[in-house]
Amino acid sequence: MSLQVSDLNLPADKLAQFAKALADASGQNVALQGICDGAAATVSRLTASYQIEDADITNWARSIALYRAYAQAQFGEIPKAIVEEYTETMKELNAIAAGERTNIPKVPDDALAGRAGKWGSGQAMPGRMPAQFPDQVAPEPFSPPEDPDLGTL
């Protein structure tokens, strides 16, 4: 899931204020897009094992992105409504990540199987050192052939 600057539903004048405050001289809201990307990553990390509606994911990411944008832009005090929404969002996301929301269905285990073979998976991969996988038989160590004229090389 990706959150775009346009998903923040901010008017053009507010976007310009953020661009100026975040030292984004390009006017393309690159800094604000980075904040959106970070917010989307936070939501994704905390909800990875659950089947969540896209609208909920977007709303949570928007809440996080707006809070972080106001905090980084340092316009003064962050609007109370944004602080409250961010606080509620983080409570909900942390509860989901902790498994406290039993009403939210989990992603089936076979859907997560595509992640096997990456760092830390413990799955044998070609070219790995045999000592990392003690259940596999290690090949015989290489020993150079013996030459009758020269002895052992």
Side-chain angles (χ1 to χ4, degrees), residues 44 47-52 104-115:
S44 180
T47 61
S49 298
Y50 296 91
Q51 296 176 2
I52 309 282
I104 299 175
K106 289 189 75 97
V107 173
D109 289 338
D110 56 344
L112 299 174
R115 298 180 182 179

Side-chain angles (χ1 to χ4, degrees), residues 21-150:
L22 297 171
D24 191 351
S26 71
Q28 300 297 314
N29 289 308
V30 174
L32 195 54
Q33 183 59 54
I35 292 171
C36 289
D37 293 343
T42 298
V43 172
S44 180
R45 177 178 51 84
L46 293 172
T47 61
S49 298
Y50 296 91
Q51 296 176 2
I52 309 282
E53 296 292 328
D54 289 341
D56 290 331
I57 290 173
T58 300
N59 289 335
W60 291 330
R62 180 185 306 116
S63 172
I64 294 169
L66 285 172
Y67 178 84
R68 290 179 180 173
Y70 273 96
Q72 289 182 23
Q74 299 178 350
F75 290 140
E77 192 171 324
I78 300 171
K80 185 178 180 181
I82 290 177
V83 172
E84 289 173 357
E85 187 174 340
Y86 171 79
T87 303
E88 288 302 313
T89 295
M90 291 310 295
K91 282 181 188 176
E92 182 67 18
L93 289 173
N94 286 324
I96 291 169
E100 296 171 3
R101 298 292 187 259
T102 56
N103 60 327
I104 299 175
K106 289 189 75 97
V107 173
D109 289 338
D110 56 344
L112 299 174
R115 298 180 182 179
K118 295 183 180 176
W119 286 100
S121 69
Q123 180 177 348
M125 293 180 202
R128 301 298 291 243
M129 296 177 65
Q132 292 178 316
F133 305 100
D135 57 323
Q136 295 178 354
V137 177
E140 293 295 322
F142 175 77
S143 57
E146 193 172 311
D147 186 336
D149 295 330
L150 300 173

